[in-house]
Amino acid sequence: MHDKILILDFGSQVTQLIARRVRDSKVLSEIYPYDIDEGRLSQIVKNENVKGIILSGGPSSVTEGDTPRAPALVFNLGLPVLGICYGMQTMAEQLGGQVQTAESLGKSREFGYAEVRARGHTPLLNGIMDFETLEGHGILKVWMSHGDSVTAMPEGFKLMASTDSCPIAGMADEVRQFYAVQFHPEVTHTVQGTAILEKFVHDICACRPDWEMGDYISEAVATIKAQVGSDEVILGLSGGVDSSVAAALIHRAIGNQLTCVFVDHGLLRLNEGQMVMEMFANNLGVKVIHVQAEEQFMGKLAGVSDPEQKRKIIGREFVEVFQAESAKIENAKWLAQGTIYPDVIESAGKGKKGAHTIKSHHNVGGLPDDMHLKLLEPLRELFKDEVRELGIALGLPKEMVYRHPFPGPGLAVRILGEVKQDFAHLLQRADAIFIEELRNTIDPSTGKSWYDLTSQAFAVFLPVKSVGVMGDGRTYEYVVALRAVQTLDFMTAHWAHLPHELLGKVSNRIINEVRGINRVVYDISGKPPATIEWE
């Protein structure tokens, strides 16, 4: 049995990153809602080799009355506990300390980069720092995101870290092995975040590094077989990484009981329909039904400009197509989807009470109550890089697995405002030029193409016109924005610093080759505060 870390979720948008970082250290982690029944928590700890507990961040304030608290049992199990942000604040409040709002302290809330001084040489931070000051103080470069602060530590705790604006940025009770930090070690902006979590997981909790993707495959295959039995499964295939890996995993488990349905809604990338069919015929060896549904989807989207409505319409139409196709398949009882953790997070799914919804996803929570298919989501607990690792382990070709992600609603969420067929055709061509030039441009310092150096890149159609000049004539045509980001987990992302020469070439080609576009701009927003997609 694997050693395990439990994570109690208080509604943070980045809780799943904690699980991802723990699994990066080859330790199994599982997430449960903060209000898990104490009896169930006790059974899990007793029967599942739990070695430690992490309390996540969250959007609430412990200074208010009816806000989340950790089960009291957490602090009486004799296990190490790590509180992060809100997790630190509720630990302090529940154990007898004090938490105050920034307003009551006459201070501003703290969001973004901070430099934290490590104090006390506790086991959690011992030997970890980004640089040392002239006075010999070890400093950590971290990411803060909080309005409340701990102003008095509970009895038995000592100061572990501080900043000028947050005097208690970390605290520790080394006897009980309770540790807490106000900053977020799970995000990539905290430079030593992985080292801190590994210190907690391996040194303090004494977990064995025995969680491997090969184990996940064998366990997932067994689970799928047990769930499905002799039933038939229908899978919505988009051609993207997630649905492709889901298809390969399910096919590994049940073989010809799986039928894939590829829906061409007219909002795919240029020539994608042909490419997807050829790719799966050559590599997966599964049954694929190709459904031409462009008129159906475009008709439903006519006149709709709200992004949430577009997503919901596309989700509904997908379900209708799946139902219609599944009715033709004898004994079809399951609808498989390539839902992954970031989809669930941004839709505030998985029992995340108090979480703030960013946007809905067509494959999360969008199924009608009367749907006659049960849901099969074998990738629901995985992040994008884990999905890719799984795909390689399943034997899928690298060019398929490392293809940039593509949203389920397709170009509908890359066309701002109303979706029109001519807009889609313009965008397909502009996007294809951008991707082609990224693939063809090699970065001399790494020897890799800029396509491989970016995690996701695409064009966005803006429903505005600008004045331009071509030859001796005035033009009044549309604008596209280019978007390219670099990220490890897709929960946070940096805009890619593409060479100006590359951007200039892409712009010239789009303006010259795609009639109807006369201006190209580049998006330099990070995530947060922006999302990767524009809608």
Side-chain angles (χ1 to χ4, degrees):
M1 182 182 294
H2 300 290
D3 290 343
K4 184 180 295 184
I5 295 292
L6 294 191
I7 300 164
L8 296 190
D9 181 16
F10 289 87
S12 169
Q13 295 293 339
V14 294
T15 295
Q16 313 298 339
L17 285 185
I18 305 172
R20 185 68 192 92
R21 299 294 175 251
V22 172
R23 281 184 270 173
D24 278 341
S25 68
K26 299 190 183 301
V27 173
L28 179 60
S29 58
E30 288 189 351
I31 297 174
Y32 291 90
Y34 71 87
D35 58 352
I36 182 174
D37 177 77
E38 288 199 353
R40 185 181 180 207
L41 176 61
S42 179
Q43 287 298 111
I44 292 170
V45 170
K46 179 180 178 182
N47 298 327
E48 298 187 18
N49 228 30
V50 175
K51 297 291 187 178
I53 296 175
I54 298 177
L55 309 178
S56 84
S60 303
S61 171
V62 300
T63 64
E64 299 172 1
D66 187 24
T67 50
R69 297 294 186 271
L73 179 63
V74 166
F75 305 111
N76 295 304
L77 289 168
L79 294 174
V81 181
L82 172 63
I84 296 174
C85 196
Y86 186 90
M88 171 175 171
Q89 294 161 11
T90 196
M91 178 188 290
E93 193 271 342
Q94 289 183 244
L95 297 179
Q98 185 177 19
V99 178
Q100 292 180 254
T101 64
E103 290 78 7
S104 69
L105 296 170
K107 296 182 178 181
S108 299
R109 296 182 296 169
E110 189 175 24
F111 296 98
Y113 175 80
E115 293 182 355
V116 171
R117 175 182 168 185
R119 297 173 178 267
H121 304 290
T122 63
L124 185 67
L125 301 182
N126 190 33
I128 299 176
M129 67 177 179
D130 288 305
F131 66 91
E132 190 173 75
T133 66
L134 294 175
E135 297 80 14
H137 304 315
I139 303 296
L140 296 168
K141 298 178 180 180
V142 306
W143 187 263
M144 290 281 197
S145 181
H146 67 105
D148 297 353
S149 299
V150 175
T151 54
M153 293 181 288
E155 185 177 350
F157 280 78
K158 72 175 186 179
L159 185 63
M160 184 170 64
S162 65
T163 70
D164 291 340
S165 59
C166 185
I168 305 176
M171 62 182 191
D173 181 335
E174 294 174 295
V175 175
R176 290 185 287 179
Q177 294 187 295
F178 294 166
Y179 300 87
V181 292
Q182 186 56 67
F183 57 87
H184 287 267
E186 69 272 30
V187 302
T188 55
H189 301 73
T190 297
V191 177
Q192 299 294 335
T194 297
I196 292 169
L197 288 171
E198 285 184 350
K199 182 83 77 169
F200 178 73
V201 168
H202 291 302
D203 295 356
I204 295 171
C205 298
C207 289
R208 297 167 295 168
D210 63 355
W211 173 245
E212 302 283 351
M213 190 52 67
D215 297 326
Y216 183 86
I217 292 174
S218 60
E219 292 169 12
V221 164
T223 299
I224 293 167
K225 286 181 176 179
Q227 276 185 282
V228 172
S230 60
D231 297 338
E232 294 284 329
V233 176
I234 184 171
L235 181 143
L237 186 63
S238 71
V241 177
D242 304 334
S243 63
S244 300
V245 174
L249 180 61
I250 296 169
H251 189 252
R252 172 79 63 92
I254 61 172
N256 287 334
Q257 291 170 242
L258 171 67
T259 300
C260 293
V261 176
F262 174 55
V263 180
D264 191 340
H265 47 34
L267 294 164
L268 301 171
R269 287 168 284 202
L270 190 66
N271 299 324
E272 187 158 24
Q274 177 183 347
M275 184 273 295
V276 167
M277 294 301 295
E278 290 176 353
M279 182 172 61
F280 279 88
N282 293 334
N283 294 298
L284 279 183
V286 301
K287 294 178 287 185
V288 183
I289 298 171
H290 190 178
V291 181
Q292 297 285 359
E294 181 173 355
E295 290 187 8
Q296 176 180 341
F297 279 80
M298 288 295 183
K300 297 292 184 179
L301 289 167
V304 178
S305 59
D306 180 76
E308 281 295 287
Q309 285 299 111
K310 288 193 288 187
R311 287 177 181 274
K312 289 175 181 177
I313 288 170
I314 289 170
R316 184 179 67 239
E317 295 307 307
F318 264 113
V319 171
E320 288 188 7
V321 172
F322 292 149
Q323 285 184 300
E325 293 302 324
S326 67
K328 305 173 186 176
I329 301 171
E330 188 176 351
N331 203 32
K333 301 289 180 63
W334 296 85
L335 170 63
Q337 295 187 149
T339 307
I340 64 173
Y341 253 159
D343 302 336
V344 178
I345 298 163
E346 292 192 333
S347 296
K350 202 176 170 67
K352 291 167 63 66
K353 296 183 180 180
H356 291 184
T357 299
I358 303 299
K359 59 189 176 184
S360 64
H361 288 261
H362 78 279
N363 58 342
V364 181
L367 303 179
D369 293 335
D370 62 349
M371 187 172 182
H372 66 272
L373 298 176
K374 294 175 282 187
L375 202 56
L376 181 64
E377 296 177 314
L379 309 181
R380 190 179 177 88
E381 304 299 325
L382 300 181
F383 284 94
K384 183 71 71 173
D385 53 328
E386 287 184 302
V387 171
R388 288 190 166 120
E389 183 183 349
L390 176 61
I392 294 296
L394 287 166
L396 294 178
K398 184 177 179 181
E399 60 270 20
M400 177 194 293
V401 172
Y402 284 92
R403 191 174 182 222
H404 285 186
F406 190 63
L411 298 182
V413 292
R414 293 179 180 174
I415 297 171
L416 302 195
E418 183 181 0
V419 177
K420 297 181 180 180
Q421 194 170 55
D422 56 339
F423 291 175
H425 292 165
L426 290 174
L427 182 56
Q428 284 173 334
R429 292 160 60 201
D431 184 78
I433 289 170
F434 186 28
I435 297 304
E436 180 183 341
E437 292 301 334
L438 285 172
R439 290 188 183 276
N440 292 340
T441 306
I442 304 300
D443 171 45
S445 65
T446 63
K448 296 181 178 181
S449 75
W450 274 101
Y451 183 85
D452 291 332
L453 291 173
T454 54
S455 306
Q456 190 168 358
F458 53 90
V460 178
F461 182 87
L462 307 183
V464 295
K465 289 186 174 183
S466 71
V467 174
V469 177
M470 289 188 179
D472 295 325
R474 173 186 183 273
T475 63
Y476 190 56
E477 296 176 333
Y478 290 105
V479 182
V480 295
L482 306 180
R483 177 74 157 145
V485 299
Q486 294 172 315
T487 177
L488 294 175
D489 46 50
F490 288 84
M491 289 305 301
T492 60
H494 300 282
W495 62 275
H497 291 236
L498 300 180
H500 290 180
E501 295 80 4
L502 170 58
L503 290 171
K505 186 176 183 180
V506 172
S507 176
N508 286 337
R509 282 197 60 193
I510 290 174
I511 292 170
N512 287 322
E513 297 176 28
V514 185
R515 186 166 184 175
I517 297 172
N518 71 354
R519 192 175 298 270
V520 177
V521 299
Y522 187 53
D523 181 351
I524 58 170
S525 309
K527 177 185 180 181
T531 54
I532 293 176
E533 298 286 348
W534 277 44
E535 287 192 342

